Amino acid sequence: MTAETTPPTPLREKTGIPRNPGRHDLGMRATLLFPDREIVERYYVPLIYTACRTCYSELDPDEIFRRAVAGEIDPAKQQKLIQGVIESGHGSTIEHIVFTFGISGVSRTLSHQLVRHRAGVAFDQQSQRYVKFKGASTMLPGTLAEADPAIRQRFEGQVEGALELYAELVEAGIPGEDARFVFPNATRTNLVMTTNLRALIHMSGLRLCTMAQWEIRRLFQLIRHEVFAVSPFLGSFLAPKCVPLGHCDEMGNRDGHCPIRPHKDVVLAAWAEKAKAAKAAGRVLPVR
């Protein structure tokens, strides 16, 4: 059978549940630069506890902090208070601690999404203006890696052609800030990101959702792993937003294809049915 008569590779059957981005080695890294485990274990929980207790105590904050660090207050008691405060939505208490990550090998597609987060987070990114990319690398999406070879070849040829043209433009004396205009979104970049815990929980809630774009979802899986390594307690708060909500509020999941939590339409419909049955029986359901 010749190449002209070879049947095309059949398309993969679409399923409702997005594929786990961790199935591919994407070549990205997220490294927790600060703090280390010792600092987190000794100071972070006591610091959040101090912020929580200061709101309800006659003691000075420095005395509360001293007692917490010295172990005069049971660590389990500190964690219980912190968990209750976070779950009640009082997020200011967790804005006092920060995490700094070194992020490398992500695409410009991802970084454009990431820097949209502004409150409680700071970024510094590798400059395409001042860095001369002699060996620029790019991200290959899993769908293209597994696509028909002819399609993948066309994609790779397009990307390689853009990078080759960039090198030729720089060699011809075109300023890097202008030559970079040919870079595709697949071009990799590096960032430093510092965020307080409240912002990190918010970002994780959005980006760990199965509806999030696969690359940024994988990044936050790596970030969560880094935080878990220094504090399983604090890392436990990094979860898809449906976990604390108890339901999914994504419009794209109204068909219920993601099994983590039921969609809010289903929850509201079940509540309405229950309320209707209660009313028919002469009972009134409590408002929650």
Side-chain angles (χ1 to χ4, degrees):
M1 184 176 289
T2 65
E4 287 75 12
T5 58
T6 301
T9 302
L11 294 175
R12 188 197 326 276
E13 181 182 354
K14 290 186 177 181
T15 60
I17 302 175
R19 301 186 69 192
N20 191 326
R23 292 186 58 175
H24 290 275
D25 180 9
L26 302 177
M28 67 167 67
R29 288 190 297 127
T31 304
L32 182 62
L33 305 179
F34 177 88
D36 60 21
R37 188 182 185 97
E38 181 181 357
I39 292 174
V40 173
E41 290 181 342
R42 184 171 182 183
Y43 296 113
Y44 268 29
V45 168
L47 185 54
I48 302 173
Y49 175 81
T50 299
C52 295
R53 287 297 303 146
T54 295
C55 299
Y56 308 102
S57 176
E58 294 181 353
L59 292 174
D60 292 337
D62 58 330
E63 177 59 17
I64 298 173
F65 184 67
R66 185 198 65 78
R67 293 182 182 185
V69 172
E72 296 176 18
I73 302 170
D74 184 1
K77 181 179 179 181
Q78 296 183 47
Q79 291 188 5
K80 183 177 180 181
L81 175 63
I82 292 170
Q83 182 168 355
V85 169
I86 293 177
E87 290 176 351
S88 68
H90 294 284
S92 62
T93 57
I94 53 175
E95 292 179 4
H96 298 285
I97 62 171
V98 298
F99 296 89
T100 298
F101 301 91
I103 299 170
S104 60
V106 298
S107 75
R108 281 273 170 166
T109 296
L110 183 149
S111 68
H112 292 330
Q113 299 176 73
L114 187 61
V115 298
R116 289 174 185 168
H117 296 286
R118 299 180 299 278
V121 59
F123 300 99
D124 281 286
Q125 184 172 4
Q126 183 182 48
S127 172
Q128 286 185 335
R129 181 183 185 191
Y130 296 110
V131 176
K132 295 295 188 295
F133 293 88
K134 297 179 180 179
S137 58
T138 56
M139 174 73 71
L140 178 67
T143 52
L144 282 164
E146 299 173 356
D148 181 282
I151 294 294
R152 173 174 174 171
Q153 186 176 12
R154 287 184 62 190
F155 171 83
E156 292 178 334
Q158 186 82 8
V159 170
E160 290 171 5
L163 298 182
E164 289 173 0
L165 177 56
Y166 166 82
E168 292 176 13
L169 292 174
V170 172
E171 183 68 24
I174 303 298
E177 65 180 28
D178 295 336
R180 63 178 169 165
F181 275 59
V182 302
F183 276 145
N185 273 342
T187 309
R188 293 184 186 265
T189 186
N190 302 326
L191 305 96
V192 172
M193 178 180 78
T194 297
T195 172
N196 66 52
L197 182 57
R198 183 180 194 176
L200 185 58
I201 291 174
H202 170 71
M203 288 190 288
S204 298
L206 297 174
R207 304 305 186 176
L208 288 173
C209 172
T210 60
M211 304 295 289
Q213 187 252 356
W214 55 268
E215 187 187 3
I216 200 166
R217 183 179 169 211
R218 179 54 180 163
L219 173 64
F220 275 85
Q221 289 174 348
L222 298 175
I223 286 173
R224 179 175 58 182
H225 180 271
E226 289 290 291
V227 176
F228 258 100
V230 296
S231 175
F233 172 65
L234 297 179
S236 68
F237 295 106
L238 307 185
K241 60 180 177 175
C242 65
V243 173
L245 278 176
H247 64 265
C248 172
D249 62 0
E250 288 287 333
M251 294 181 61
N253 188 38
R254 280 184 165 154
D255 61 356
H257 64 259
C258 178
I260 299 178
R261 292 289 188 275
H263 193 270
K264 67 178 180 181
D265 290 352
V266 176
V267 175
L268 291 174
W271 173 257
E273 190 66 29
K274 188 175 181 180
K276 182 179 179 181
K279 183 177 181 180
R283 294 181 291 107
V284 178
L285 293 179
V287 178
R288 297 180 180 177

